[in-house]
Amino acid sequence: MNGEVIVYTSKGCPYCEQVIAFLHEHRMKVDERNISENEGHFSEWKSINPIGTPLTLYGEHQVIGFHKKNLQSIVEEHVGK
């Protein structure tokens, strides 16, 4: 994954925007994959069997929604590398 965070987002999702903003504030490189605009990203997202968006993936971490504490764990793990 090369230290990259993947965030599956959807159009009009305020929590998606919050996740992206939070990660950018912490200088994280984010690969945003909008499932509303890209069929390939939708297929990837669906294969993970998610509950919804945003879905943030980093290493062993999988965060659904905007959960600041869980996202902070991703930031801390990334900084430690």
Side-chain angles (χ1 to χ4, degrees):
M1 192 178 282
N2 296 333
E4 186 174 71
V5 178
I6 297 171
V7 182
Y8 290 95
T9 61
S10 55
K11 189 174 181 177
C13 170
Y15 297 113
C16 298
E17 293 172 12
Q18 289 177 334
V19 167
I20 297 296
F22 179 85
L23 294 171
H24 282 162
E25 285 173 20
H26 289 87
R27 301 176 192 253
M28 298 287 295
K29 181 178 179 184
V30 177
D31 179 4
E32 182 178 358
R33 300 182 182 181
N34 190 308
I35 65 169
S36 302
E37 298 174 352
N38 183 298
E39 194 172 312
H41 293 159
F42 177 79
S43 294
E44 289 172 17
W45 170 82
K46 188 128 175 113
S47 73
I48 298 167
N49 199 22
I51 296 171
T53 59
L55 171 62
T56 305
L57 305 175
Y58 180 79
E60 297 297 316
H61 296 277
Q62 189 178 98
V63 180
I64 299 170
F66 179 70
H67 296 281
K68 199 170 188 176
K69 181 180 176 183
N70 295 345
L71 293 169
Q72 187 64 42
S73 295
I74 290 173
V75 170
E76 290 170 5
E77 182 176 314
H78 179 74
V79 170
K81 288 188 175 189

